[in-house]
Amino acid sequence: ILTDWKHLKDFNSFIGKKVCDFVDNNDIHGISTGRYELGDDCYVNVDEYETRENFNFEAHREYADVQIMVEGDETVFVAPLKNGVEINPYSRENDVAFYSCKSVGYEIVNLVSGKALVLFPYDMHAPCNSNKKRINRKLVFKIPVKHIDTIIIGGKYNEKLL
């Protein structure tokens, strides 16, 4: 799901509350990089990094990612997990496995300042890509899948996810 980060509050009350509370109550442009605990097993990584050309995909099992680009832009390749060939086995400690994409079956997402990208465990993704090196600042919220049993859009739509 790619959207303006301000729309997150509209589609899942739990995600919206965790993400929007943090963004609304912190200087996201000036806060120090690092990990911030949000309660309920949720946390956010405030990252600054140089973009690169990276075609290794990653996927998570225990957490959904909500990535908000604060400054900069990048290309994120996203594909169904079923299109992946595992190249580094799953690490429970880091909740990540790495994959190559066995087909050209991936989407290209341009993540720019102010946008949010929501990635679920069935979405493998290759973030931080650009053919021009630049420094990006991004928030990566980690939301346990146990808290994401429904999506609510505008309070009207409710669909079981997992």
Side-chain angles (χ1 to χ4, degrees):
I1 300 171
L2 179 67
T3 188
D4 185 291
W5 76 263
K6 293 176 182 176
H7 295 159
L8 292 174
K9 67 182 179 297
D10 296 333
F11 79 86
N12 181 289
S13 58
F14 190 87
I15 290 176
K17 180 160 180 43
K18 290 294 180 187
V19 172
C20 294
D21 281 356
F22 184 85
V23 173
D24 289 344
N25 293 304
N26 291 280
D27 174 9
I28 61 173
H29 296 274
I31 193 170
S32 297
T33 58
R35 178 175 165 152
Y36 295 84
E37 297 295 331
L38 305 175
D40 299 309
D41 299 320
C42 301
Y43 63 94
V44 60
N45 290 320
V46 178
D47 297 327
E48 285 187 4
Y49 55 90
E50 187 174 61
T51 57
R52 62 191 185 276
E53 291 188 36
N54 169 35
F55 294 99
N56 285 329
F57 288 78
E58 62 185 64
H60 313 286
R61 294 183 188 170
E62 302 297 323
Y63 288 86
D65 275 6
V66 179
Q67 301 186 8
I68 297 178
M69 185 61 68
V70 178
E71 297 170 8
D73 62 86
E74 67 185 42
T75 300
V76 182
F77 300 101
V78 180
L81 187 57
K82 67 182 181 183
N83 289 3
V85 175
E86 191 175 78
I87 56 176
N88 285 351
Y90 178 72
S91 164
R92 186 171 180 85
E93 178 181 343
N94 297 316
D95 187 41
V96 68
F98 292 95
Y99 300 83
S100 62
C101 193
K102 66 182 178 185
S103 72
V104 293
Y106 59 83
E107 301 293 326
I108 298 171
V109 177
N110 293 312
L111 187 58
V112 299
S113 295
K115 294 296 182 184
L117 179 61
V118 181
L119 299 156
F120 296 101
Y122 45 79
D123 299 319
M124 62 179 192
H125 51 286
C128 310
N129 287 284
S130 179
N131 57 6
K132 295 180 183 177
K133 293 212 180 268
R134 65 176 56 87
I135 301 297
N136 282 352
R137 182 174 184 85
K138 183 164 65 172
L139 307 176
V140 180
F141 292 85
K142 298 293 197 168
I143 309 294
V145 293
K146 67 183 179 184
H147 294 306
I148 307 171
D149 62 348
T150 58
I151 284 185
I152 300 168
I153 301 175
K156 299 175 186 165
Y157 180 73
N158 186 349
E159 180 183 340
K160 202 75 166 155
L161 277 182
L162 301 172

